[in-house]
Amino acid sequence: MDADATDDELEREERRALFAEVHAERDRLLPLRAEATRTTIELMRTNTGRTDEPDLVPYLNLTYLLTIKRAYGDDQLMAFALSLANWAVASIDELAKLTGRTAQQIVDRYETEIMAAREASDED
């Protein structure tokens, strides 16, 4: 067996192991999904109207994260993070459809804006 075949076999095994871990973790967190979704909706309703104050939004979001972690622990925090990630992906896809752009173009735009804001903040 050559080195490339061995490397491919190792990569496949690593992917299988990772997939098994992800599947097991998903099953373990699944009972927390309903509460995580309710918390996500609450955060979205509370914080989306605050984007005119972009420096405030990260603090509001971090407050939610710390509150969840302290009140419910790491598992609920992980379920909440998963819920937020799912909402973010769906929202970006929907925005792309509505604007006639690709999802990648939407992500690129926000990445550019974040980098520009960070540079402006560093200059202050």
Side-chain angles (χ1 to χ4, degrees):
M1 185 181 284
D2 65 16
D4 287 339
T6 303
D7 288 345
D8 287 345
E9 179 89 13
L10 287 173
E11 274 187 39
R12 273 194 296 270
E13 284 303 314
E14 288 173 357
R15 283 194 305 269
R16 278 189 207 122
L18 180 59
F19 181 75
E21 180 183 358
V22 167
H23 188 73
E25 196 66 5
R26 179 199 167 276
D27 288 349
R28 193 177 70 74
L29 294 173
L30 197 56
L32 305 175
R33 180 173 60 183
E35 180 64 29
T37 299
R38 281 191 294 277
T39 304
T40 300
I41 292 168
E42 179 183 312
L43 177 136
M44 295 297 176
R45 289 188 192 282
T46 302
N47 294 354
T48 52
R50 306 307 279 277
T51 55
D52 57 327
E53 303 174 72
D55 291 340
L56 180 60
V57 173
Y59 291 101
L60 295 171
N61 291 337
L62 187 55
T63 299
Y64 266 86
L65 294 170
L66 289 172
T67 300
I68 291 165
K69 183 176 181 176
R70 289 179 182 154
Y72 303 107
D74 289 341
D75 284 352
Q76 189 65 42
L77 181 62
M78 181 69 100
F80 177 61
L82 179 59
S83 176
L84 281 173
N86 292 341
W87 275 67
V89 168
S91 297
I92 289 169
D93 280 344
E94 185 68 18
L95 182 57
K97 288 175 191 169
L98 292 172
T99 61
R101 297 185 209 150
T102 67
Q104 189 62 50
Q105 288 170 322
I106 301 293
V107 171
D108 289 347
R109 176 178 170 224
Y110 285 107
E111 180 182 25
T112 301
E113 289 178 7
I114 289 168
M115 289 170 43
R118 189 175 306 137
E119 288 173 10
S121 177
D122 289 346
E123 292 172 3
D124 291 342

